[in-house]
Amino acid sequence: MARTSALLLSLLASQACAHTFIWGVFVNGVDQGTFKGIRIPAYNGASGKGGYNNSPVKDLGSIDLRCNVMGDVQAHDTIKVAPGDNLTFDWHHDIRNDTDDVIASSHHGPSLVYISPDPPTQNSFVKIWHLGKYESNPFPQAGKWSATSDIAKNFGHMNVRIPQGLKAGHYLIRAEIIALHEGDVSFKANPRRGAQFYPDCVQIEVTGNGTVELPEGVSFPGAYSYEDPGVVHNVYCSTETKKPKTSTTPCVTDYIIPGPTVWSGAWPETTSVSVGPVKGVTTATPWSTWIGTDSVVTSATYADVKSQTIVGTQKYTAIWSETYVTPTPGSPRW
Ligand SMILES: *[C@@H]1O[C@H](CO)[C@@H](O)[C@H](O)[C@H]1NC(C)=O
Ligand SMILES: *[C@@H]1O[C@H](CO)[C@@H](O)[C@H](O)[C@H]1NC(C)=O
Ligand SMILES: *[C@@H]1O[C@H](CO)[C@@H](O)[C@H](O)[C@H]1NC(C)=O
């Protein structure tokens, strides 16, 4: 083993905790297999010293905001879809089954889905779906949010539909959950807090004879700013005149989801599809085993990383190809 030491492996083996990411994709209710076509987020922090698959990305200027940490590294396979297909992304936290909590119950926030030609170019990510706060509850309750009341309550299922008539080709879907439980202040103002971004990209190939091209979209990084009211938002804000116990922040009338509006070419509504059985493993393997034994530490964006021991010595630099590269065959990463 080159750089990866036995110590590192033992640290990673004990990794049980991870934040939410996509474990599978159902196409019209049929599972494509655990981690198939998914650019699984790698280590990006030092929590527990071994790092997690997917601690949140909080730095809005980081390339990790595009497809998460090591999001430039292709999955070995690509999911074939047709315009009109219903996709269900299966988000999980610790295990890919219905007992999983999907995301911590405190992590209130919106969910968003973008599509871009693969590879992305300047302003190529087009929003095709989002859901934010859909029901207000009286203070001090946070209300009902897509992440915690919709997706988490529906076994991690996030639904989106391939746009009608979309031209055939290779695309990346960038699905995202944003957790706002520490979003009352920006990461720039206080790196220990700030909104937590969980982006995850899925490689798809759209088949058929569609002619619809995507319009101009947004770039990641670039689409979000620390001034966005949807990025800095206190989910425990109060409209009460009586001095509240834990919050004096006035509520904005409506929560404003970050990023652009949903493209008019997207389906106006998404339907939850009944899904069949999961194909493949239900547990995740530490990222170190699929990065390879000569792996390096990624750019650590997790706020606390500087105060803890970083495993390894090198910083990972994402290299995004400017032309489409056919993925090399291999086992899915698990
Ligand atoms: C996707 O879902 C919609 C709404 O339920 C349904 O009408 C449509 O037939 C589904 N598409 C496919 C390809 O199954
Ligand atoms: C889900 O995973 C948990 C934890 O490993 C296990 O106890 C439970 O039996 C699993 N449930 C199903 C339906 O597979
Ligand atoms: C596109 O493909 C569909 C299904 O194969 C076919 O019915 C339709 O005629 C085709 N349209 C064009 C413009 O080729």
Side-chain angles (χ1 to χ4, degrees):
M1 293 207 256
R3 205 184 320 274
T4 308
S5 64
L7 173 65
L8 169 56
L9 288 179
S10 71
L11 286 169
L12 292 165
S14 62
Q15 161 194 282
C17 185
H19 284 94
T20 195
F21 55 111
I22 299 174
W23 293 50
V25 179
F26 298 89
V27 178
N28 302 321
V30 178
D31 186 31
Q32 305 299 296
T34 302
F35 296 135
K36 285 265 173 91
I38 299 161
R39 298 194 178 177
I40 311 168
Y43 165 84
N44 66 347
S47 290
K49 305 226 167 103
Y52 292 161
N53 284 92
N54 201 17
S55 290
V57 180
K58 304 208 294 186
D59 179 349
L60 295 185
S62 167
I63 188 69
D64 297 347
L65 198 65
R66 182 176 292 175
C67 287
N68 219 313
V69 177
M70 298 184 82
D72 59 317
V73 178
Q74 290 179 304
H76 293 300
D77 32 49
T78 300
I79 296 174
K80 277 208 165 115
V81 298
D85 277 353
N86 296 291
L87 268 52
T88 305
F89 298 125
D90 199 11
W91 289 80
H92 284 290
H93 181 178
D94 294 315
I95 187 160
R96 192 183 181 200
N97 85 14
D98 290 355
T99 63
D100 183 52
D101 67 347
V102 179
I103 187 166
S105 59
S106 62
H107 285 31
H108 306 298
S111 316
L112 313 85
V113 178
Y114 297 82
I115 188 168
S116 163
D118 181 9
T121 53
Q122 187 69 24
N123 295 333
S124 68
F125 284 96
V126 173
K127 194 189 267 181
I128 54 172
W129 177 81
H130 66 197
L131 180 65
K133 182 177 181 174
Y134 59 91
E135 196 180 306
S136 292
N137 282 344
F139 177 80
Q141 297 168 58
K144 290 196 172 162
W145 291 84
S146 172
T148 41
S149 294
D150 177 28
I151 290 172
K153 295 288 189 297
N154 287 301
F155 309 113
H157 296 167
M158 175 192 270
N159 299 290
V160 74
R161 204 168 167 192
I162 302 299
Q164 191 162 29
L166 186 64
K167 204 174 161 178
H170 292 100
Y171 295 85
L172 276 182
I173 292 190
R174 176 185 181 280
E176 175 178 42
I177 288 178
I178 304 175
L180 294 170
H181 54 295
E182 295 182 345
D184 57 318
V185 62
S186 79
F187 169 75
K188 193 172 79 175
N190 179 358
R192 298 197 68 85
R193 296 180 69 80
Q196 302 186 349
F197 296 81
Y198 298 92
D200 205 341
C201 290
V202 176
Q203 295 167 195
I204 60 165
E205 181 181 358
V206 174
T207 59
N209 53 17
T211 54
V212 175
E213 306 226 18
L214 293 177
E216 186 178 34
V218 294
S219 294
F220 287 100
Y224 302 157
S225 93
Y226 296 115
E227 280 73 49
D228 288 349
V231 169
V232 180
H233 177 86
N234 185 349
V235 293
Y236 301 107
C237 61
S238 171
T239 49
E240 295 185 4
T241 46
K242 221 166 71 176
K243 193 171 184 293
K245 285 197 177 71
T246 58
S247 170
T248 52
T249 309
C251 278
V252 290
T253 319
D254 288 310
Y255 174 70
I256 302 161
I257 303 172
T261 53
V262 172
W263 174 39
S264 59
W267 294 90
E269 51 191 55
T270 56
T271 317
S272 90
V273 177
S274 70
V275 300
V278 162
K279 294 176 192 161
V281 297
T282 56
T283 53
T285 304
W287 58 274
S288 60
T289 58
W290 50 261
I291 290 176
T293 50
D294 196 27
S295 63
V296 296
V297 171
T298 70
S299 61
T301 52
Y302 192 56
D304 289 344
V305 74
K306 288 198 182 75
S307 64
Q308 300 187 40
T309 309
I310 300 179
V311 180
T313 52
Q314 280 180 262
K315 188 173 160 130
Y316 180 78
T317 306
I319 300 169
W320 283 82
S321 171
E322 288 181 6
T323 53
Y324 179 74
V325 180
T326 305
T328 52
S331 305
R333 300 163 178 170
W334 61 60

